[in-house]
């Protein structure tokens, strides 16, 4: 019986290939000597990725309306890689007080020790940020809506001011995803996504992306990725590529459910305030309506004041929501941020504890029933404590 040589058999698949590798081999001595010239797009060592990573980077850049993209091991690392690539000692860095906590900590504890002048600014700022710009200001870090408390920034206005002064801008765009808002089209230099969230979509990986239109900036990012060792697993790249196939339908479904649930919560007696720009009552609603195309899946709420034990009643009653950090996946999540954490913030949005909810793909009626039980648990624990 004649054997079949598998290398000569045609094979086409709808799934992208997963190409692993650390060592890249070269055809000639001259190729090896000149290997650095292959960057930023080519391959000289596995630390900057394999063709699987490049395929994902091209896809994300396309979604972002950008020319270039670099993927990193997490959304957090994407933020740090961008700052480390461009900010140096003696320069001034402006950071929104509502940015991701790890970025703020990195700025305060590491960059400040490297002689970077770090300044936090009010997260609902717009063109008035011009008053904070100095001759040595290098970069403005934005996130809109802000982490946890959901403040909206006038991103196009900030980007226009920065461009006039020759200041770089970066924006964490994870809440909206490129389907909801496109920072690059609004004048921002770097659009950051935690692909961990919507792009991966299933709470089973960590990844970040940095997109830009400027080739010189792209070269710096690729070099920074290499120097900092920010390699991304090709298997995780495959999972994000697969997640992107359903991003549009997942986001549409989660976006509709989230608005419905937020509107229901807004009418509940135990709820003091919803932090969610798609609601007309939110201070950032006008900016959201002008600039954004989706409702996201994430919002926060402040409950009527009650003893700490009441939050045990709220969270212990949850059955469909699971308690955990992160968000953006198909499963609904609930997280808690105590009052002390709010008090420690610069420019705090509230001095009360905050509950943050991520809405997944479960039945909306089931999630509302879950929250109804949680609010009842909160109220009953609060009433019992007051009676004592």
């Amino acid at each position: 019986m004649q054997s079949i040589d598998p290398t000569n058999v045609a094979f086409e698949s709808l799934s992208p290939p997963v190409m692993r590798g650390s060592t890249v081999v070269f055809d000639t001595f001259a190729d090896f000597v000149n290997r650095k010239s292959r960057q930023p797009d080519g391959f000289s060592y596995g630390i900057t990725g394999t063709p699987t990573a490049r395929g994902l980077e091209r896809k994300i850049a396309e979604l972002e309306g950008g020319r270039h993209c670099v993927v990193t091991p997490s959304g957090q690392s994407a933020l740090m890689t961008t700052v480390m690539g461009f900010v140096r000692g003696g320069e001034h860095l402006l950071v929104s007080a509502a940015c991701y906590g790890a970025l703020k900590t990195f700025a305060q504890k590491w960059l400040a020790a490297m002689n970077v002048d770090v300044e936090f600014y009010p997260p609902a700022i717009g063109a008035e940020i011009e008053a904070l710009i100095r001759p040595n200001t290098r970069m403005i870090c934005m996130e809109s809506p802000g982490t946890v408390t959901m403040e909206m920034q006038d991103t196009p206005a900030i980007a226009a001011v920065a461009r006039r002064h020759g200041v770089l801008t970066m924006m964490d765009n994870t809440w909206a995803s490129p389907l909801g808002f496109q920072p690059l089209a609004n004048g921002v230099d770097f659009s950051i996504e935690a692909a961990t969230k919507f792009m991966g979509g299933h709470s089973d990986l960590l990844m970040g992306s940095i997109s830009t239109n400027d080739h010189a900036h792209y070269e710096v990012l690729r070099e920074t990725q290499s120097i900092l060792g920010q390699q991304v697993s090709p298997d995780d790249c495959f999972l994000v590529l697969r997640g992107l196939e359903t991003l549009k339908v997942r986001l549409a479904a989660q976006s509709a459910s989230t608005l419905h649930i937020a509107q229901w919560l807004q009418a509940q007696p135990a709820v003091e305030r919803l932090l969610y720009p798609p609601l007309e009552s939110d201070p950032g609603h006008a900016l959201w309506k002008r600039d954004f195309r989706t409702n996201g899946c994430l919002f926060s709420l402040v409950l009527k004041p009650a003893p700490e034990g009441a939050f045990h009643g709220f969270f212990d009653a949850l059955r469909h929501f699971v308690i955990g950090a992160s968000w953006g996946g198909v499963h609904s999540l609930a997280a808690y941020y105590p009052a002390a954490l709010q008090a420690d913030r610069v420019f705090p949005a509230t001095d009360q504890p905050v509950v943050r909810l991520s809405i997944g793909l479960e039945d909306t009626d089931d999630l509302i029933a879950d929250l109804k039980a949680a609010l009842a648990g909160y109220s009953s624990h609060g009433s019992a404590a007051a009676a004592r």
Side-chain angles (χ1 to χ4, degrees), residues 14 28 32 36 48 69 73 77 82 97 99 117 126 129 134 136 151 153 172 176 195 264 270 285 293 308 382-383 387:
L14 292 174
T28 68
F32 181 76
K36 294 298 183 183
T48 59
C69 175
S77 72
T82 307
C99 274
D117 189 355
I129 200 170
R134 308 174 191 171
N136 65 333
E151 296 94 335
Q153 301 185 263
D172 186 333
W264 178 84
H285 177 74
R293 298 190 299 274
E308 184 75 16
S383 299

Side-chain angles (χ1 to χ4, degrees), residues 262-278:
Q263 289 171 335
W264 178 84
L265 276 168
Q266 193 175 35
Q268 303 312 302
V271 176
E272 183 169 280
R273 181 183 171 196
L274 264 290
L275 308 175
Y276 185 49

Side-chain angles (χ1 to χ4, degrees), residues 289-354:
K289 187 175 181 179
R290 186 193 71 186
D291 294 338
F292 285 65
R293 298 190 299 274
T294 67
N295 303 321
C297 77
L298 188 74
F299 65 90
S300 297
L301 58 150
V302 178
L303 298 174
K304 294 286 176 63
E308 184 75 16
F311 288 95
H312 289 273
F314 183 96
F315 281 89
D316 289 346
L318 294 173
R319 295 294 176 266
H320 293 284
F321 285 86
V322 293
I323 303 170
S326 196
W327 53 272
V330 298
H331 301 289
S332 294
L333 294 170
Y336 175 70
Y337 300 88
L341 190 64
Q342 308 309 316
D344 284 344
R345 288 181 45 150
V346 183
F347 309 112
T350 179
D351 59 358
Q352 297 298 307
V354 171

Side-chain angles (χ1 to χ4, degrees), residues 214-236:
D214 187 285
H215 192 269
H217 291 162
Y218 172 50
E219 289 180 318
V220 172
L221 289 170
R222 186 68 77 196
E223 180 184 48
T224 307
Q225 178 197 41
S226 176
I227 296 301
L228 297 180
Q230 302 283 46
Q231 185 267 350
V232 177
S233 160
D235 299 270
D236 286 345

Side-chain angles (χ1 to χ4, degrees), residues 13 17 137 147 156 165 175-176 215 256 317 332 377:
S13 173
T137 302
T147 295
H165 288 270
W175 185 93
H215 192 269
S332 294

Side-chain angles (χ1 to χ4, degrees), residues 73-316:
S74 68
Q76 179 175 325
S77 72
L79 294 167
M80 311 309 167
T81 299
T82 307
V83 174
M84 289 296 287
F86 295 92
V87 179
R88 298 291 180 267
E91 294 178 332
H92 177 228
L93 178 69
L94 284 165
V95 182
S96 167
C99 274
Y100 184 55
L103 176 62
K104 292 188 290 185
T105 301
F106 180 65
Q108 286 177 306
K109 293 189 176 181
W110 275 269
L111 293 179
M114 299 174 188
N115 198 35
V116 174
D117 189 355
V118 175
E119 181 179 358
F120 294 106
Y121 65 85
I125 207 167
E128 60 271 25
I129 200 170
E130 188 160 23
L132 303 179
I133 292 178
R134 308 174 191 171
N136 65 333
T137 302
R138 178 60 169 159
M139 181 179 284
I140 300 172
C141 300
M142 297 180 276
E143 181 169 357
S144 187
T147 295
V148 183
T149 44
M150 307 289 153
E151 296 94 335
M152 289 292 300
Q153 301 185 263
D154 192 337
T155 302
I158 294 172
V161 167
R163 205 163 284 269
R164 285 201 305 272
H165 288 270
V167 175
L168 295 172
T169 51
M170 60 175 268
M171 178 179 171
D172 186 333
N173 189 50
T174 307
W175 185 93
S177 88
L179 300 185
F181 182 72
Q182 295 206 321
L184 301 182
N186 284 277
V188 178
D189 293 298
F190 306 103
S191 179
I192 314 296
E193 308 283 350
T196 307
K197 287 20 180 222
F198 277 134
M199 290 183 178
H202 293 80
S203 307
D204 56 4
L205 60 91
L206 293 166
M207 196 180 299
S209 69
I210 312 162
S211 297
T212 185
N213 276 320
D214 187 285
H215 192 269
H217 291 162
Y218 172 50
E219 289 180 318
V220 172
L221 289 170
R222 186 68 77 196
E223 180 184 48
T224 307
Q225 178 197 41
S226 176
I227 296 301
L228 297 180
Q230 302 283 46
Q231 185 267 350
V232 177
S233 160
D235 299 270
D236 286 345
C237 289
F238 168 83
L239 289 173
V240 174
L241 281 164
R242 186 171 69 175
L244 290 179
E245 296 287 345
T246 60
L247 173 62
K248 186 176 181 178
V249 292
R250 284 187 288 104
L251 183 54
Q254 289 173 262
S255 187
S257 292
T258 303
L259 181 60
H260 180 65
I261 291 169
Q263 289 171 335
W264 178 84
L265 276 168
Q266 193 175 35
Q268 303 312 302
V271 176
E272 183 169 280
R273 181 183 171 196
L274 264 290
L275 308 175
Y276 185 49
L279 293 176
E280 291 184 7
S281 59
D282 191 275
H285 177 74
L287 287 173
W288 170 85
K289 187 175 181 179
R290 186 193 71 186
D291 294 338
F292 285 65
R293 298 190 299 274
T294 67
N295 303 321
C297 77
L298 188 74
F299 65 90
S300 297
L301 58 150
V302 178
L303 298 174
K304 294 286 176 63
E308 184 75 16
F311 288 95
H312 289 273
F314 183 96
F315 281 89
D316 289 346

